[in-house]
Amino acid sequence: MNKDLNYYCDKWELLPDGESIQTYTSLLQPVVHNNMSVMLKIAYVSEEERGNKLMVWWNGKGAAQVFESDDMAILMERIDGSRSLYEMAFNGQDDEATKIICDVVKLLHSNSRPPFPELVTLDVWFQDLFNSATKYGGIFKTCRDIARQLLNEQDNVVVLHGDIHHKNILYSDKRGWLAIDPKGLVGCRAFDYVNVLCNPEKEIALGNGRLMKQISVISKMADIPEKNLLEWTIAFAGLSAIWFLDDKDEENANFRLEIVHEALKELSRW
């Protein structure tokens, strides 16, 4: 059955309340439900459906609250807060933004009650790096080897958001900082912190000394050794670069590889 916007407006008695945001993976539509401003998200692909199920499972603990759900869509609280981690990073508050992100990630990771939602292991998530490292060669082989070692030695395995960055944690004037748009993964908790180091934008991420400064902040906040964070950064940034290359986006691939090179330089000091 083709479940479109009209279907959910009828099913959950919703009134559209603003412009929709549509991509090839999902539709986001601000709506009103029972006199409350909420957000409808309709998933078009399995990855987004898995993320929706994880949002339901979190039950508002560290994430936006979900009020209604089915196999394709969720109806969740609409967050129109007055603060932005993205803006903070650009306005001299990069450390503070990272600390807030660490607090939210820690809260998300504290959720552990069964039954667990459908999740993808990090071994599966990294297959694109394993499959393409030889094709692209060079530094990607190093990223692949480090990723394999990390995955073989995983500890502190938790349910992971999978795409933590400055725009996926929003501020609610009522409930504080809340996560949205997860990928629904499971694996070593360190993985959820390192995407921050490739964000919010190139000019921030590649700032002089920024990588180690933020790794130091994360290490202290999350109690993860700096060396381990560097290794996960290399693995993740290599994977991310592969995705961009596969999409013919050389600019963003090269940006991720700059992160890899810097992290490898720092790792060599250990």
Side-chain angles (χ1 to χ4, degrees):
M1 180 179 182
N2 183 20
K3 298 179 180 179
D4 59 11
L5 178 59
N6 290 332
Y7 170 85
Y8 286 105
C9 284
D10 290 340
K11 179 178 181 177
W12 290 331
E13 298 181 346
L14 311 175
L15 293 174
D17 185 39
E19 295 295 321
S20 63
I21 301 172
Q22 185 161 355
T23 70
Y24 74 95
T25 63
S26 65
L27 169 73
L28 283 168
Q29 174 65 57
V31 294
V32 174
H33 175 64
N34 293 335
N35 295 318
M36 181 170 56
S37 297
V38 292
M39 184 70 74
L40 172 68
K41 181 176 182 179
I42 305 174
Y44 296 150
V45 297
S46 59
E47 182 178 295
E48 294 293 339
E49 291 176 4
R50 190 172 65 244
N52 282 353
K53 292 173 183 176
L54 180 52
M55 290 291 291
V56 173
W57 182 77
W58 276 328
N59 195 29
K61 186 177 181 181
Q65 181 71 56
V66 176
F67 305 110
E68 300 282 356
S69 67
D70 69 5
D71 59 328
M72 280 186 62
I74 55 174
L75 189 67
M76 59 183 171
E77 67 179 294
R78 195 194 313 177
I79 306 173
D80 295 320
S82 56
R83 301 175 66 189
S84 162
L85 294 174
Y86 183 90
E87 292 178 2
M88 287 172 63
F90 275 91
N91 292 322
Q93 297 177 288
D94 197 17
D95 289 5
E96 183 178 347
T98 299
K99 290 176 182 178
I100 290 168
I101 291 170
C102 288
D103 284 337
V104 173
V105 171
K106 183 177 181 180
L107 186 56
L108 294 176
H109 289 178
S110 71
N111 289 283
S112 60
R113 71 190 188 289
F116 295 101
E118 175 189 357
L119 301 166
V120 168
T121 66
L122 288 183
D123 302 76
V124 173
W125 198 245
F126 272 88
Q127 281 305 305
D128 288 335
L129 175 59
F130 300 147
N131 294 338
S132 297
T134 301
K135 169 185 172 182
Y136 290 114
I139 199 169
F140 287 107
K141 293 182 179 180
T142 301
C143 296
R144 175 199 61 196
D145 293 344
I146 289 175
R148 279 180 174 164
Q149 180 178 349
L150 289 169
L151 293 170
N152 287 336
E153 300 173 353
Q154 288 187 82
D155 58 4
N156 294 311
V157 173
V158 299
V159 176
L160 299 166
H161 180 287
D163 193 22
I164 290 291
H165 59 74
H166 296 69
K167 290 187 176 180
N168 273 348
I169 297 176
L170 307 180
Y171 185 74
S172 164
D173 292 329
K174 294 181 179 179
R175 300 211 300 125
W177 296 99
L178 302 169
I180 59 167
D181 203 20
K183 299 300 182 185
L185 310 180
V186 59
C188 177
R189 69 186 182 93
F191 175 82
D192 251 354
Y193 292 93
V194 295
N195 192 21
V196 174
L197 303 169
C198 298
N199 279 277
E201 296 289 352
K202 179 178 180 178
E203 54 264 45
I204 295 293
L206 294 178
N208 186 34
R210 194 259 184 175
L211 177 69
M212 284 311 301
K213 186 175 183 183
Q214 296 313 306
I215 279 183
S216 177
V217 171
I218 294 170
S219 177
K220 292 173 183 175
M221 292 290 295
D223 192 25
I224 299 172
E226 291 184 3
K227 179 176 182 289
N228 191 232
L229 289 169
L230 279 169
E231 292 167 337
W232 277 109
T233 299
I234 293 162
F236 170 74
L239 173 63
S240 181
I242 290 285
W243 288 335
F244 281 119
L245 284 176
D246 287 345
D247 289 339
K248 312 299 182 187
D249 185 348
E250 291 191 9
E251 181 179 354
N252 274 309
N254 289 334
F255 160 37
R256 295 309 193 274
L257 290 178
E258 287 185 69
I259 296 289
V260 170
H261 282 291
E262 186 173 350
L264 282 170
K265 181 179 70 175
E266 294 294 341
L267 188 61
S268 69
R269 304 180 194 278
W270 259 266

